[in-house]
Amino acid sequence: MLIKFDFNNMMSRTLGDKGFADSALVGFAADAAEAFRSFGKKRGTGMTAWAELPYNQAEVVRDIKATAEEARKKFESFVVLGIGGSALGPIAVFTALCHFRYNDLPAEKRGGPRFYVEDNVDPERMLALLDVVDPKTTLFNVVTKSGATSETMSQYLIIADILKKALGDEWKEHIVATTSETKGNLIKIAKKEGFKTFYIPDGVGGRFSELCPVGLLPAAMLGIDIEGLLRGAAEMDKACSSEDMFKNPALMAAALQFLAMQNGKNISVMMPYADSLKFMADWYCQLWGESLGKAVDLDGKTVNVGQTPVKALGVTDQHSQVQLYTEGPFDKVITIIGVEKFRGDVVIAGGAEEFPDVSFLSGHTMGELINTERRATEYALTKSGHMNNTLILPEVNAETVGQLLMFFQLETAYCGEMLNIDTFNQPGVEEGKNATYALFERKGYEAKRAELEAAPAPEAKYII
Ligand code: PA5
């Protein structure tokens, strides 16, 4: 049961002169093979350790499953405190694989705790969380690779204080840390307090961390088949093991996006036609945007590359964004994610036979309707000359979700090689983090504070 990548609507066959000729792809095949080999040389080293996660976690998976089995019985709520790569993957996988109204189900139907991911420092949101969870029956998973991110560490401090007041010495049993074994402050705090701790391996960056304990612990807490996720990732890795882009779907996808970028397509729209995959688009946006948006290339040349990722949802955004996608500028590639078989379906009832303009819907299912509308949108985009491609999941399950995660990670890594950039750093994000430390007068950031103070102050004439 493997995901399929259909790129017909990127080609001149359907798009005329707005699409790629076969010869353009054939002409790029050697460059794509070079990108594949270049990534292959790095694979498993430096910041590419994520590529080996499907194969080297037997022991940690056992520990996660044992921890989750016990905690699922003991706690009524499970809260992830994390941001960016420490939050978007858990949200995407939860939405893909759990009941749509999971938190509203009675405990016996859920089979595990209610689930919340707190990925912001909006005080109103924190107060609202504290209105609905009882710290005495809640397990908090503090997730930060760097162990230093202000948002996550401030949440930790707030929650630790509440837990200490509510539970005395027992408070430590209500925190699990997921962090680097070697870097940052959370590991030091975790060791001092004796928290149960899972490690984010060195070489696994935030946005590539869903298949390590960052994502696997929350998934296991929700009763998701984490071995299925890893199996799916391994299947996709195998399907992408050829340097021939015509036999490697992630390499082909990367090549098409790279060539499209060369043609001024600076926007990548991710549009799942399934609510279960809605937040997969959020996760993709971070992966694609943070990995490929870079000022300099590996030779130190200023390049300012990247494609702006945009999330959309089918069919909802047909009534919002699709007008722009079909008639607006030719600056986008639209990637649609379709699902062949939904996990349940609903027949559209009869009852309006005297109104043929309504009754034509009766007898069909909602699954048929959403997939028909997907095909109709693909047609409309193609007819108007807008590049689009489709990833088809046979159905949404742990294995296909694992495949999808791996597909996008590999596509991103290959595309980074084609762009000759460091796919795995995020200097732009670090700049904002450091500026926050400086403004909060953190020790060691005096020079950054001076730099900020030297910047032009806002002028009243520009504020109206
Ligand atoms: O991809 C990344 O590395 C970042 O987006 C991080 O996930 C994000 O900044 C959070 O960092 P950390 O996990 O160190 O708290």
Side-chain angles (χ1 to χ4, degrees):
M1 203 184 249
L2 201 63
I3 296 177
K4 290 262 173 294
F5 177 55
D6 179 346
F7 59 98
N8 269 283
N9 297 337
M10 300 291 287
M11 305 301 294
S12 56
R13 196 184 140 255
T14 57
L15 287 175
D17 62 4
K18 296 275 192 307
F20 296 122
D22 283 0
S23 56
L25 294 195
V26 172
F28 189 69
D31 290 332
E34 180 49 38
F36 176 89
R37 285 194 295 271
S38 165
F39 173 65
K41 277 185 216 144
K42 294 176 191 162
R43 204 186 143 113
T45 66
M47 288 309 288
T48 63
W50 54 269
E52 299 305 319
L53 291 173
Y55 312 108
N56 61 10
Q57 295 190 97
E59 204 179 309
V60 78
V61 164
R62 263 195 299 278
D63 190 3
I64 285 173
K65 284 174 72 174
T67 304
E69 199 186 321
E70 208 179 301
R72 271 163 65 78
K73 288 184 224 138
K74 196 164 153 202
F75 294 101
E76 282 172 19
S77 301
F78 179 71
V79 179
V80 170
L81 306 175
I83 197 163
S86 301
L88 293 165
I91 295 169
V93 169
F94 163 64
T95 314
L97 296 174
C98 290
H99 190 285
F100 272 104
R101 309 285 174 207
Y102 176 86
N103 278 355
D104 298 332
L105 290 174
E108 62 281 8
K109 285 205 172 163
R110 259 187 282 118
R114 290 197 182 85
F115 183 59
Y116 304 91
V117 182
E118 298 304 304
D119 64 349
N120 206 349
V121 283
D122 182 327
E124 292 178 10
R125 178 163 163 185
M126 178 57 88
L127 291 168
L129 176 79
L130 296 172
D131 279 343
V132 297
V133 302
D134 176 356
K136 290 187 184 140
T137 56
T138 301
L139 180 62
F140 294 90
N141 183 198
V142 189
V143 189
T144 167
K145 167 79 191 258
S146 62
T149 303
S150 303
E151 295 87 342
T152 307
M153 294 315 289
S154 64
Q155 288 171 331
Y156 161 74
L157 290 170
I158 293 164
I159 294 300
D161 183 55
I162 291 171
L163 287 172
K164 281 177 205 168
K165 286 177 183 149
L167 291 155
D169 281 351
E170 245 186 71
W171 76 278
K172 296 171 188 178
E173 283 155 42
H174 288 245
I175 293 195
V176 175
T178 305
T179 192
S180 164
E181 190 175 2
T182 52
K183 287 181 226 125
N185 297 308
L186 183 58
I187 186 62
K188 292 181 198 148
I189 296 172
K191 280 188 178 149
K192 176 177 163 256
E193 305 293 4
F195 299 149
K196 171 74 187 163
T197 302
F198 289 98
Y199 298 124
I200 305 174
D202 288 341
V204 175
R207 55 195 178 275
F208 288 85
S209 66
E210 176 51 22
L211 293 170
C212 82
V214 169
L216 296 182
L217 178 64
M221 285 298 296
L222 294 161
I224 290 168
D225 170 14
I226 59 173
E227 278 139 337
L229 281 173
L230 293 170
R231 206 166 43 246
E235 283 160 6
M236 182 52 73
D237 191 33
K238 187 162 171 246
C240 297
S241 56
S242 171
E243 68 171 47
D244 176 353
M245 70 184 200
F246 294 92
K247 295 184 184 145
N248 178 337
L251 189 60
M252 175 59 83
L256 290 165
Q257 292 285 11
F258 175 79
L259 292 170
M261 275 185 240
Q262 312 290 90
N263 276 306
K265 310 258 184 291
N266 292 320
I267 299 172
S268 167
V269 178
M270 185 56 60
M271 188 170 187
Y273 270 72
D275 276 79
S276 62
L277 300 175
K278 178 175 178 178
F279 291 100
M280 212 36 97
D282 284 50
W283 174 81
Y284 165 84
C285 284
Q286 186 209 14
L287 182 71
W288 197 248
E290 217 169 280
S291 301
L292 302 185
K294 296 290 151 71
V296 289
D297 70 7
L298 290 173
D299 304 318
K301 195 169 128 215
T302 300
V303 284
N304 295 108
V305 290
Q307 227 181 4
T308 303
V310 172
K311 54 194 177 188
L313 179 68
V315 304
T316 308
D317 281 304
Q318 283 179 207
H319 301 271
S320 165
Q321 302 295 317
V322 167
Q323 170 62 30
L324 171 73
Y325 299 164
T326 50
E327 296 201 351
F330 292 91
D331 56 358
K332 305 170 194 63
V333 175
I334 295 116
T335 299
I336 286 169
I337 311 180
V339 175
E340 252 162 24
K341 189 166 170 284
F342 287 83
R343 288 165 286 191
D345 212 340
V346 180
V347 178
I348 302 167
E353 282 68 23
E354 64 276 42
F355 302 104
D357 292 348
V358 176
S359 66
F360 76 96
L361 294 164
S362 301
H364 293 287
T365 68
M366 291 180 83
E368 276 178 70
L369 183 58
I370 194 169
N371 275 336
T372 304
E373 293 200 36
R374 170 170 62 76
R375 281 198 293 277
T377 301
E378 288 163 0
Y379 171 75
L381 290 168
T382 307
K383 187 178 168 192
S384 61
H386 287 84
M387 285 186 166
N388 63 97
N389 54 64
T390 303
L391 280 159
I392 293 284
L393 274 65
E395 65 178 40
V396 180
N397 59 39
E399 273 188 44
T400 57
V401 167
Q403 290 173 19
L404 198 58
L405 294 168
M406 196 57 158
F407 177 91
F408 287 133
Q409 291 180 158
L410 288 171
E411 180 190 3
T412 305
Y414 296 145
C415 202
E417 294 300 325
M418 292 168 192
L419 290 165
N420 187 37
I421 52 162
D422 184 342
T423 311
F424 307 105
N425 67 1
Q426 52 283 322
V429 177
E430 307 302 341
E431 182 65 29
K433 285 188 181 184
N434 292 337
T436 304
Y437 300 149
L439 290 169
F440 255 45
E441 298 185 3
R442 181 173 157 186
K443 204 161 168 281
Y445 290 81
E446 295 76 12
K448 180 59 68 184
R449 188 168 171 93
E451 183 190 309
L452 279 154
E453 279 166 358
E459 269 195 44
K461 71 174 179 178
Y462 297 124
I463 304 173
I464 55 174

